[in-house]
Amino acid sequence: MKIHKDISLKNYNTFGIDMYANQFTEIASTDEICELISGKEFSNIPTLVLGGGSNILLTKKVVGLVLKISCKGIEVTGEDEQFRYLKAAAGENWHGLVTYCVERNFCGIENLSLIPGSVGAAPIQNIGAYGVELKDVFYELEAIHRFTGERRKFSAEECKFGYRDSVFKNDLKNQYIITSVTLALRKKPVFNTSYGDIEKELEVMEVKEINVKSISDAVCRIRRRKLPDPSVLGNAGSFFKNPTIANDYYTLLKRNFPDIPGYKSGDEQIKTSAGWLIDKCGWKGKRVGNCGVHNDHALVLVNYGGASGSEIYELSEKIKKSVIEMFGIELEREVNVIK
């Protein structure tokens, strides 16, 4: 394990922001994490844990140490009548894990195909797409306390999963380094094709019999059409969460905006589309300097080349302000802003 000085993080974040870190090291095992924690140097400096860099916006130089988690390994750890338990190291690429499952006909995460990022970051965000969230297949994770070196397992209940949320973004923020995630994948397939355009895409593909691979292929086709490839156009996927508002307020908004989308979220709330709100405010396809809002997806902020993290953050502030002014709704960022 080698600690590097003044390293550019441009290749370690999907926005492609050329921001530097005072110190940088890549971690290949849990033993290396424990070794680092036990050293006196680690306890005295701030630390940023980095996975795939797909959900982060760097607006300033990172003072302290950046830990790039690169632990690898995927294995079936057990099974029972209903489930097969699959454990993946935190440094594994998420879509790589999906591909692993698809190739073996393991059902459960095919709807989460092509989501950028690492396995270790998935539970922090409770990643989700096309009607499935990580919590739906989650069994447990293993993590190491940043300051004590204590190794601990977290159940789904202990993770307190919510919409793009978990205990690791709240009560336990910056306290644990996730080292592995174990999924409970059903042996008897339960396919989810009702969300978004999956059924329509399967028809276009002329799929006769639905299976894990056909759903994954359909999701990949949809995502590639709608979302820009970060290796071509810097972005972090959806920048804002879809907001949840009270039923009464949604009814009031619908009088003035009859086409505003809404989906039940509990008994008294409605979840609406952040992308729709941003589009209605005139931001879709708009460019501001070296950054802007993607032409095909209003939720995606992009770096056209040379944009700073501060420029993208300021654009997001302007978007938030315009949505408040037009709809009275405050958007919440999905992306983790380092500022």
Side-chain angles (χ1 to χ4, degrees):
M1 179 178 55
K2 184 177 180 180
I3 295 181
H4 304 273
K5 306 285 187 178
D6 293 321
I7 295 294
S8 172
L9 299 176
K10 184 176 182 178
N11 294 327
Y12 296 98
N13 71 97
T14 58
F15 261 122
I17 304 298
D18 192 13
M19 194 60 70
Y20 278 71
N22 279 354
Q23 299 181 62
F24 176 93
T25 189
E26 205 156 346
I27 299 294
S29 69
T30 54
D31 288 341
E32 287 188 351
I33 294 174
C34 292
E35 178 188 340
L36 189 65
I37 291 173
S38 63
K40 293 180 180 179
E41 301 85 357
F42 179 84
S43 62
N44 295 326
I45 60 174
T47 306
L48 172 65
V49 177
L50 196 61
S54 60
N55 194 49
I56 192 169
L57 178 63
L58 302 168
T59 66
K60 67 175 185 178
K61 183 176 182 178
V62 181
V63 178
L65 177 65
V66 172
L67 298 183
K68 175 71 172 72
I69 304 299
S70 299
C71 311
K72 302 294 183 182
I74 302 173
E75 62 175 328
V76 175
T77 58
E79 57 182 281
D80 53 33
E81 290 186 5
Q82 286 186 295
F83 298 101
R84 179 181 290 108
Y85 299 94
L86 187 68
K87 181 178 180 180
E92 289 286 347
N93 175 270
W94 175 261
H95 183 64
L97 177 62
V98 176
T99 301
Y100 179 97
C101 291
V102 169
E103 289 174 347
R104 290 159 178 79
N105 201 35
F106 293 175
C107 178
I109 59 174
E110 56 277 1
N111 290 51
L112 304 181
S113 296
L114 219 60
I115 294 179
S118 66
V119 168
I124 296 174
Q125 188 74 358
N126 184 27
I127 60 172
Y130 298 99
V132 175
E133 291 183 320
L134 179 74
K135 68 177 180 63
D136 299 326
V137 294
F138 181 89
Y139 179 67
E140 68 179 14
L141 65 79
E142 295 178 351
I144 298 176
H145 196 279
R146 290 195 189 196
F147 308 110
T148 67
E150 171 206 10
R151 300 190 185 203
R152 177 179 168 184
K153 291 183 178 181
F154 287 83
S155 65
E157 183 179 0
E158 290 171 320
C159 288
K160 298 181 181 178
F161 290 126
Y163 170 56
R164 303 299 177 269
D165 199 17
S166 73
V167 70
F168 304 105
K169 293 180 74 174
N170 299 291
D171 296 346
L172 299 182
K173 185 175 182 179
N174 296 328
Q175 291 190 40
Y176 282 88
I177 299 172
I178 295 171
T179 57
S180 70
V181 177
T182 300
L183 307 177
L185 304 176
R186 290 187 180 276
K187 289 185 174 181
K188 186 177 181 180
V190 178
F191 298 125
N192 188 333
T193 62
S194 61
Y195 194 94
D197 298 326
I198 294 181
E199 289 183 348
K200 188 185 299 183
E201 194 67 30
L202 290 169
E203 290 179 10
V204 171
M205 294 164 58
E206 299 182 346
V207 172
K208 304 301 181 185
E209 184 177 347
I210 295 174
N211 55 38
V212 172
K213 187 176 187 307
S214 63
I215 293 177
S216 177
D217 288 345
V219 170
C220 288
R221 284 163 60 106
I222 295 167
R223 289 184 70 92
R224 287 189 176 110
R225 279 202 309 271
K226 289 186 174 183
L227 300 171
D229 183 344
S231 66
V232 178
L233 190 62
N235 73 91
S238 298
F239 198 91
F240 296 100
K241 295 181 181 181
N242 289 321
T244 301
I245 57 179
N247 283 345
D248 292 346
Y249 190 62
Y250 175 75
T251 301
L252 181 64
L253 285 174
K254 203 163 180 64
R255 293 175 188 168
N256 296 322
F257 305 97
D259 55 340
I260 184 172
Y263 312 92
K264 281 189 175 182
S265 180
D267 294 333
E268 299 180 0
Q269 291 188 313
I270 297 290
K271 183 179 289 184
T272 189
S273 166
W276 186 91
L277 299 173
I278 294 167
D279 189 6
K280 283 295 181 181
C281 289
W283 286 103
K284 189 175 180 179
K286 189 171 182 177
R287 179 168 178 165
V288 181
N290 292 321
C291 61
V293 180
H294 193 250
N295 292 326
D296 299 324
H297 202 314
L299 263 186
V300 180
L301 274 56
V302 296
N303 177 5
Y304 286 109
S308 68
S310 295
E311 285 181 89
I312 296 171
Y313 178 78
E314 288 169 10
L315 172 61
S316 73
E317 283 285 277
K318 291 176 182 177
I319 292 170
K320 287 185 63 177
K321 183 179 179 182
S322 65
V323 171
I324 289 175
E325 290 174 348
M326 180 172 285
F327 298 102
I329 297 174
E330 183 170 4
L331 296 181
E332 182 180 350
R333 295 179 186 85
E334 191 171 313
V335 170
N336 182 26
V337 180
I338 306 300
K339 61 176 184 172

